[in-house]
Amino acid sequence: MERRSLLSLAILTLSSYALLALESDKPFELSLKEAVRYAIDNNREVMRARLELAKADTELMKYEGKYSWRALANADINQNKFPFNQNNIFTGTKTQTNNYSAGFDKLFTTGTYFKVEAKQTRFDSNAFEDASKTPAGFGALGIPPLFTDSLSVTISQDLLKNAFGYKDRNMEKMLENQSEILKDQMEEQVAAKVVDALVDYWNFTVKDSGYLTFEQLHKNTKNVRDLTIRKQGLGLSESFEVNQWNALMAQVEGQMAQAIAEREEAKRKLIRSLNLADTTQFSKTTPLSEELPKDLDYNKDIAYAYAHRADFRSIQRKKDNAELSLKNAKNDALPSLKVAGTYGYQSQNIAYPNNGFSGSKGGVFAGTFPVMQGSVEMSYPIADTGVKAGLRDAEIQKRQVNLEEDDLTKSVADDVRTRIDVLKASYKVMENAKKTEDEAKKYYNGVLRSFQQGRFNALTVKTALDTLVQDQLALVRAKVDYNINLHRYYVAKNALFEEYGIDRSQLLPEDFQK
């Protein structure tokens, strides 16, 4: 019974390994949509670009950090020793002042500075404590350490330059625009790198199809040679014709060897591009589109590109930033008027050093001894060349961006029109290549039948066969070229991700998604 169990377990184990082996040997196959998603998730160049995309808002986050709450703490100890003389009779020869503080502060987007602070000052002097050095009648002035505690709130505000955070909010908006510019640029790079990965896939397709074509050529050449040999036996062909086909066989075998080497090179590059296992085997099915988009329209596509292309969206944000820079430059020319105020309560005692805050008799929270402080500070730049330079540069930047927008408007329109024209042309080339390949195949089959019947010579068959091979290779190349142009058209108007239903917010690596 035990042996049967062991035997059953062994059979199950071997079956499992066999299934795994079959699964691992299963050819790698992707639809076009799956290929795009796979390139996004696995191509190392794309993954690096996606990581850069996660850093697009770094400067904005650093800037916003200044609006965070901060915890404050400070300790300052100062001790002094002096020689005994008449000057130090009343101050003492040894003094020590300890200052401790803790609190919180925050800068708000309105430019308002707020701070809550608790402080304690401990002062100790040996004045009148040494009876041998204290004049008669002054011994009662010697006291223990003096504790001064306080709790205060400080608020400050700029009322003219950077009034209520005006300049800071402009700067934050500028950094936000810059962050979006970088984000759009990186998304555009990701799209371009995805297309590059697909080109690697299609390049392998070209090389693989080339090998298959030469393989078929070899088979067809062998068939014709064998037929020629049979015809020679019947006296219908000469021996030198067999020699010709033997030479052609050798030539095709050399072409096959070269095609195998090129295919393996393209395969290794594709495996590296898609980050696959070295043992990956690719299926014969290739993700290629052969349909022309139905909604091709110059005006609609140009309008779409204006709304979605990274460079054109960036120019709008650059215009916004130029306007904000000019506003900040004008703001810098204003006087600076800052007001600040502090209000709180304090206590001072020698009897209860541990109850300076909570003591019912004169403690800080008793509110007996208020602390009030106010200040107004004003400064005005007089003939400040730095301010003038800032205004000049901001105005120049605004004009430069306007010129850049005019040029880019035409450039984007021309790019989209060119991509549509190239796409239509490559589609026409692909359709013609299909027709040409089909006609060449029919012609070759007809010539071959006639050759078998003795109505055509070997040279005609060879010419027809060469033509068919070239047309088959041209068809594969035309299909790949069409797909490359199709996806460059998507990139030109920044519609690649929308075309394949990919959420742009998901381009960030999962551990960096908000």
Side-chain angles (χ1 to χ4, degrees), residues 52-333:
E52 284 296 323
L53 177 61
K55 296 170 19 181
D57 59 351
T58 297
E59 294 302 320
L60 176 62
M61 292 178 68
K62 288 181 178 179
Y63 186 82
E64 290 177 340
K66 73 178 190 175
Y67 297 118
S68 302
W69 283 95
R70 296 188 305 167
L72 309 173
N74 182 65
D76 181 31
I77 300 176
N78 185 17
Q79 186 180 78
N80 296 300
K81 291 184 178 180
F82 304 100
F84 179 75
N85 52 41
Q86 291 181 345
N87 183 63
N88 297 327
I89 290 177
F90 293 97
T91 59
T93 59
K94 180 181 178 181
T95 63
Q96 181 171 336
T97 304
N98 298 348
N99 291 308
Y100 307 100
S101 65
F104 296 91
D105 75 343
K106 178 178 174 59
L107 178 65
F108 292 89
T109 56
T110 57
T112 306
Y113 176 74
F114 174 82
K115 181 170 74 171
V116 177
E117 185 178 40
K119 295 179 64 175
Q120 183 183 78
T121 300
R122 177 186 180 277
F123 176 77
D124 187 22
S125 172
N126 67 352
F128 309 117
E129 292 182 355
D130 189 345
S132 63
K133 298 178 182 180
T134 301
F138 285 86
L141 296 178
I143 60 174
L146 177 67
F147 292 87
T148 303
D149 300 300
S150 67
L151 180 65
S152 62
V153 175
T154 300
I155 298 176
S156 66
Q157 181 72 58
D158 196 326
L159 299 179
L160 289 178
K161 184 185 291 187
N162 193 29
F164 297 98
Y166 174 79
K167 183 178 178 181
D168 287 342
R169 287 196 300 276
N170 286 346
M171 182 61 68
E172 184 176 9
K173 179 61 177 176
M174 290 168 65
L175 289 173
E176 184 179 337
N177 284 337
Q178 189 61 35
S179 173
E180 291 299 318
I181 289 173
L182 290 175
K183 181 179 177 182
D184 287 342
Q185 289 174 347
M186 292 312 303
E187 286 182 358
E188 188 176 53
Q189 286 189 30
V190 170
K193 291 182 183 298
V194 167
V195 173
D196 290 341
L198 291 177
V199 170
D200 288 337
Y201 201 118
W202 295 327
N203 184 55
F204 170 74
T205 299
V206 172
K207 301 301 181 184
D208 187 50
S209 297
Y211 168 75
L212 294 176
T213 300
F214 285 121
E215 188 178 48
Q216 184 64 39
L217 175 61
H218 182 271
K219 180 179 178 181
N220 291 344
T221 303
K222 185 177 182 300
N223 290 336
V224 176
R225 186 199 64 176
D226 294 344
L227 181 59
T228 304
I229 292 174
R230 289 196 297 270
K231 290 177 68 176
Q232 182 188 8
L234 297 174
L236 299 176
S237 64
E238 303 294 336
S239 61
F240 59 81
E241 293 184 73
V242 177
N243 297 135
Q244 180 190 32
W245 286 104
N246 285 334
L248 290 174
M249 283 278 292
Q251 180 183 357
V252 173
E253 287 171 356
Q255 292 173 323
M256 286 180 63
Q258 180 66 28
I260 290 174
E262 292 179 355
R263 184 185 66 176
E264 290 303 309
E265 180 185 5
K267 178 182 175 182
R268 285 191 289 270
K269 183 178 180 182
L270 177 58
I271 286 175
R272 186 171 63 252
S273 176
L274 295 182
N275 196 15
L276 298 170
D278 292 339
T279 56
T280 301
Q281 297 298 322
F282 295 95
S283 70
K284 306 301 181 184
T285 303
T286 307
L288 287 171
S289 173
E290 299 183 24
E291 298 294 330
L292 189 69
K294 298 179 181 179
D295 55 349
L296 287 177
D297 182 271
Y298 288 126
N299 294 329
K300 289 182 179 179
D301 285 336
I302 290 172
Y304 188 96
Y306 286 153
H308 294 86
R309 268 184 62 139
D311 50 1
F312 200 79
R313 293 171 64 177
S314 295
I315 204 66
Q316 305 306 317
R317 295 189 173 99
K318 286 181 180 179
K319 286 180 64 178
D320 191 15
N321 280 0
E323 192 65 38
L324 292 171
S325 294
L326 183 59
K327 290 180 179 179
N328 280 357
K330 292 179 179 179
N331 188 262
D332 286 337

Side-chain angles (χ1 to χ4, degrees), residues 242-466:
V242 177
N243 297 135
Q244 180 190 32
W245 286 104
N246 285 334
L248 290 174
M249 283 278 292
Q251 180 183 357
V252 173
E253 287 171 356
Q255 292 173 323
M256 286 180 63
Q258 180 66 28
I260 290 174
E262 292 179 355
R263 184 185 66 176
E264 290 303 309
E265 180 185 5
K267 178 182 175 182
R268 285 191 289 270
K269 183 178 180 182
L270 177 58
I271 286 175
R272 186 171 63 252
S273 176
L274 295 182
N275 196 15
L276 298 170
D278 292 339
T279 56
T280 301
Q281 297 298 322
F282 295 95
S283 70
K284 306 301 181 184
T285 303
T286 307
L288 287 171
S289 173
E290 299 183 24
E291 298 294 330
L292 189 69
K294 298 179 181 179
D295 55 349
L296 287 177
D297 182 271
Y298 288 126
N299 294 329
K300 289 182 179 179
D301 285 336
I302 290 172
Y304 188 96
Y306 286 153
H308 294 86
R309 268 184 62 139
D311 50 1
F312 200 79
R313 293 171 64 177
S314 295
I315 204 66
Q316 305 306 317
R317 295 189 173 99
K318 286 181 180 179
K319 286 180 64 178
D320 191 15
N321 280 0
E323 192 65 38
L324 292 171
S325 294
L326 183 59
K327 290 180 179 179
N328 280 357
K330 292 179 179 179
N331 188 262
D332 286 337
L334 296 175
S336 175
L337 179 62
K338 294 182 179 179
V339 295
T342 300
Y343 185 83
Y345 294 95
Q346 65 182 359
S347 69
Q348 193 174 70
N349 66 78
I350 56 177
Y352 307 102
N354 297 326
N355 297 325
F357 285 91
S358 59
S360 58
K361 297 181 179 180
V364 170
F365 293 117
T368 306
F369 306 105
V371 178
M372 291 173 285
Q373 181 182 355
S375 65
V376 178
E377 179 183 347
M378 182 176 180
S379 64
Y380 184 75
I382 300 176
D384 190 331
T385 56
V387 172
K388 293 181 180 179
L391 284 167
R392 180 202 63 194
D393 291 351
E395 184 63 40
I396 290 175
Q397 180 186 4
K398 184 177 179 180
R399 295 184 186 181
Q400 287 175 329
V401 173
N402 287 333
L403 291 172
E404 186 179 353
E405 182 187 24
D406 292 340
D407 183 62
L408 188 61
T409 300
K410 298 177 181 178
S411 176
V412 169
D414 290 344
D415 188 23
V416 173
R417 289 192 184 97
T418 299
R419 287 299 170 194
I420 292 176
D421 292 341
V422 170
L423 180 62
K424 290 180 177 179
S426 60
Y427 179 77
K428 184 66 175 177
V429 169
M430 180 182 67
E431 291 298 303
N432 288 342
K434 289 180 182 179
K435 183 177 180 180
T436 301
E437 191 267 347
D438 183 60
E439 295 294 335
K441 185 183 295 183
K442 293 177 181 177
Y443 174 71
Y444 169 73
N445 291 332
V447 167
L448 184 61
R449 284 193 302 270
S450 296
F451 175 72
Q452 291 170 341
Q453 298 168 3
R455 290 185 299 192
F456 282 103
N457 58 31
L459 179 60
T460 306
V461 178
K462 177 184 179 301
T463 303
L465 186 56
D466 287 343

